[in-house]
Amino acid sequence: MIWGGLPGLGEALEAKLKIMARWLSFLILAGGMAMAQSDKQEIRFPNAAELHKLAARFAPAPLRVETAHLSAGDRKALARLIEAGRILDEIFLEQYWSGNQALRRKLQADRTPLGQARMRYFWINKSPWGALDDFRAFLPGVPPRKLEGANFYPEDMTKEEFEAWVKILPPAEQEQANGFFTVIQRGPDRKLRAVPYSEVYKQPLTRAAKLLREAAALTGNASLRKFLSSRADALLSNDYYESDLAWMDLDAPLDITFGPYETYNDDVLGYKAAFEAYIGVRDERESAKLAALTAHLQEVEDHLPIDPKYRTPKLGAAAPIRVLDQVLASGDGAHGVTTAAYNLPNDDRVVQQKGSKRVMLKNVQEAKFHSVLIPISGRMLAKKAVADVKFEPFFTHILAHELMHGLGPHQIRVQGRDTSPREEIKELYGAIEEAKADVTGLFALQYLMDHAGKLGLEKLLPSGAAAERQLYTTYLASSFRSLRFGLNDAHGKGMAVQFNTLVDKGGFVAQPDGTYSVNYARIKMAVEELDHDLLTIEAEGDYARAKKLLEGMGVMRPEVQKALDRLEGIPTDIDPIFVTAEELAPSSAGTAKKAGRQGKKS
């Protein structure tokens, strides 16, 4: 599961779910884009100026990563990995749409201002469809919207045809047809067939595997060498199981995610995985902070604001979390809204054996913070509060949010039955759980700040009045960034519950000029009361209470919507520029320009 950086993190799914948000503002911006020009309903596509406005929603963000501390071997390995990562862009373009490569060549050859503007926006989206624009076409001569099956299935195939075909296949062939790593094609007889990725993309995968093996030979880290070698084998064998196990065991200064993972682009069946790469350097300081916070999770659990009988006396092992600075993202990891965190693998066999791993991209979060959250703060917060919006508490709360998914009720009893909050709260669980993780994260940080001296956290977790102001003010600013994307997913609805409840409880206060501020006399108690309610709903599996809370508080109140309307013109997300990747493994200036960066290399 991939996240684009919603504050709190569940942060999560922003990368793929934001596409449903705030169409009205888009239509105002690009009004003529789909305007009927005659009785024939001709479509007018955006001109260069309009394309620049659309692209301006993605603020250019240079990503620089310190690599001086890496060994000489790891630095050389990193250069090979960057080269391999760029190959996945080629494969992803083909996976996303069969016409992408030809369209890219056509746009690269057009050196007019309009052609360059089209190429830039094409490269941001890796397609002719805008990820923030409901996947509408912004170029002529292409399907009006992204194809539901991308290029994983024949364009003329229906879901019913696929299911009827699979039903008559032998079990082994059914597994291949339904699997993550095959493309469904038509044979000469027009019948469907499943073709392995290793065959469909053989040429680029062979080049990528060679580079992974070269990187494996250069690094001195055994776990990285094992993963890269096994993943190189997997690219050519189409069997990713062993290399996924090796990825879960990866413990190295370089942290690499490389291969076919997420299935978001398959809107027909949700089966087929897209290739992506995230190449990063481990952030040792944040990793140390994370380890310190993790060490005190049982103490936080033991003091949660909930009836003691609902607390977990002994927590299980926490899912591993890695904090990285991203050097390069490519393929499915580098189009539309920029991924800021992800949770993999998706293979249930691996999850059952090893669990899953959350990866947090700190420098991506920081770029979003400065490019988006700081401008939002300037318009939404009382003037004197803006100075208290800081990245450190922003990111620390994201870490806490992720850890808090492991705290609170998980195995419960309802009317004598052993069950779980997810089973009892059903479709409402996502929004309740995301709100719980956010609010419990605030509670946990406050508790740890209050006891920093006793717990030995003084150096890693600042405490005192200034630190508290920064934590709650940054959280307030982050709320607006989440609310800006609407209520179409669990994270947005969960944030609406938090915001509205904390306003009603006096923790957040609306000013006469439409801005908001934190009431420090009320915010701690308001957070604790809301956390109690959310934790109790989960502990009791109370569907009716969850429904009442979401219906009453998971809404966009008119005064909040009016305030959010003032954010027009502030970027929605970032457009990463991989500066360090270019320094370590230069691409030609011509390639960079063709990518639509006008000299800014990706």
Side-chain angles (χ1 to χ4, degrees), residues 70-84:
L70 297 176
S71 68
D74 277 352
R75 282 175 60 85
K76 292 177 181 177
L78 182 54
R80 299 294 198 283
L81 294 171
I82 292 165
E83 294 176 43

Side-chain angles (χ1 to χ4, degrees), residues 1-18:
M1 182 177 295
I2 287 191
W3 306 303
L6 280 171
L9 204 65
E11 270 253 324
L13 254 141
E14 181 187 355
K16 303 294 178 184
L17 298 176
K18 286 181 189 152

Side-chain angles (χ1 to χ4, degrees), residues 142-451:
V142 304
R145 289 179 186 265
K146 171 192 169 292
L147 301 181
E148 286 193 347
N151 196 25
F152 298 120
Y153 308 94
E155 292 185 15
D156 62 350
M157 187 203 79
T158 64
K159 182 177 180 181
E160 291 72 23
E161 180 188 8
F162 176 86
E163 291 174 340
W165 167 65
V166 169
K167 192 177 296 184
I168 63 174
L169 294 175
E173 292 182 32
Q174 286 186 10
E175 185 177 348
Q176 287 293 306
N178 291 329
F180 290 132
F181 313 127
T182 58
V183 175
I184 308 303
Q185 297 178 345
R186 292 197 185 279
D189 58 359
R190 299 288 298 160
K191 292 183 179 179
L192 298 177
R193 61 179 183 174
V195 186
Y197 283 1
S198 54
E199 181 179 330
V200 177
Y201 313 115
K202 182 176 181 178
Q203 193 273 335
L205 288 178
T206 300
R207 287 189 286 127
K210 179 176 182 292
L211 287 164
L212 293 189
R213 290 194 179 100
E214 290 175 1
L218 289 165
T219 182
N221 183 278
S223 67
L224 179 59
R225 187 184 310 117
K226 180 179 180 180
F227 168 66
L228 294 176
S229 298
S230 61
R231 184 48 51 113
D233 292 341
L235 296 178
L236 303 182
S237 70
N238 220 51
D239 183 353
Y240 289 87
Y241 176 69
E242 291 297 333
S243 59
D244 273 345
L245 293 176
W247 183 74
M248 287 298 300
D249 293 333
L250 180 59
D251 182 12
L254 300 180
D255 203 293
I256 313 302
T257 301
F258 193 103
Y261 284 104
E262 300 290 4
T263 62
Y264 296 116
N265 300 303
D266 176 1
D267 292 320
V268 172
L269 292 155
Y271 290 166
K272 304 305 176 184
F275 278 90
E276 62 188 351
Y278 300 97
I279 300 169
V281 175
R282 187 165 61 190
D283 186 309
E284 299 294 352
R285 184 179 184 279
E286 291 297 339
S287 297
K289 179 193 293 183
L290 184 60
L293 296 178
T294 302
H296 297 290
L297 289 181
Q298 185 65 60
E299 174 135 359
V300 174
E301 174 75 25
D302 293 343
H303 291 85
L304 289 177
I306 191 175
D307 190 315
K309 68 183 180 184
Y310 294 140
R311 296 173 185 156
T312 304
K314 186 174 182 180
L315 295 172
I321 302 178
R322 299 287 184 265
V323 181
L324 314 179
D325 283 320
Q326 182 171 278
V327 177
L328 180 79
S330 64
D332 194 30
H335 71 113
V337 174
T338 297
T339 299
Y342 52 93
N343 186 2
L344 293 171
N346 289 326
D347 187 330
D348 288 336
R349 298 173 301 166
V350 179
V351 174
Q352 288 171 6
Q353 184 171 343
K354 293 275 190 178
S356 60
K357 179 164 63 178
R358 294 183 178 96
V359 179
M360 320 276 287
L361 303 174
K362 181 185 175 185
N363 60 342
V364 173
Q365 295 281 9
E366 194 164 11
K368 290 173 180 268
F369 175 85
H370 289 293
S371 297
V372 182
L373 190 57
I374 289 297
I376 287 175
S377 302
R379 296 191 192 177
M380 301 304 292
L381 301 186
K383 189 174 182 179
K384 64 180 181 180
V386 175
D388 284 324
V389 178
K390 303 290 185 183
F391 178 71
E392 188 73 14
F394 170 78
F395 191 70
T396 302
H397 181 240
I398 289 170
L399 293 177
H401 171 110
E402 285 305 304
L403 292 171
M404 292 308 107
H405 281 304
L407 269 62
H410 285 85
Q411 298 299 317
I412 62 176
R413 286 185 66 80
V414 175
Q415 297 177 348
R417 294 179 290 108
D418 290 327
T419 182
S420 70
R422 185 186 298 274
E423 291 178 81
E424 297 303 309
I425 307 176
K426 302 183 176 69
E427 79 280 2
L428 308 179
Y429 175 77
I432 295 295
E433 173 61 20
E434 291 305 325
K436 177 216 99 173
D438 265 350
V439 177
T440 309
L442 286 174
F443 171 85
L445 290 176
Q446 184 65 62
Y447 178 85
L448 295 173
M449 289 162 66
D450 289 344
H451 300 84

Side-chain angles (χ1 to χ4, degrees), residues 543-571:
Y543 182 91
R545 189 174 176 188
K547 191 171 191 295
K548 181 179 179 180
L549 179 65
L550 290 172
E551 288 180 348
M553 294 295 180
V555 298
M556 191 73 75
R557 292 173 173 174
E559 62 271 22
V560 178
Q561 184 61 63
K562 184 178 179 181
L564 292 174
D565 290 341
R566 295 160 45 204
L567 298 179
E568 184 177 352
I570 291 176

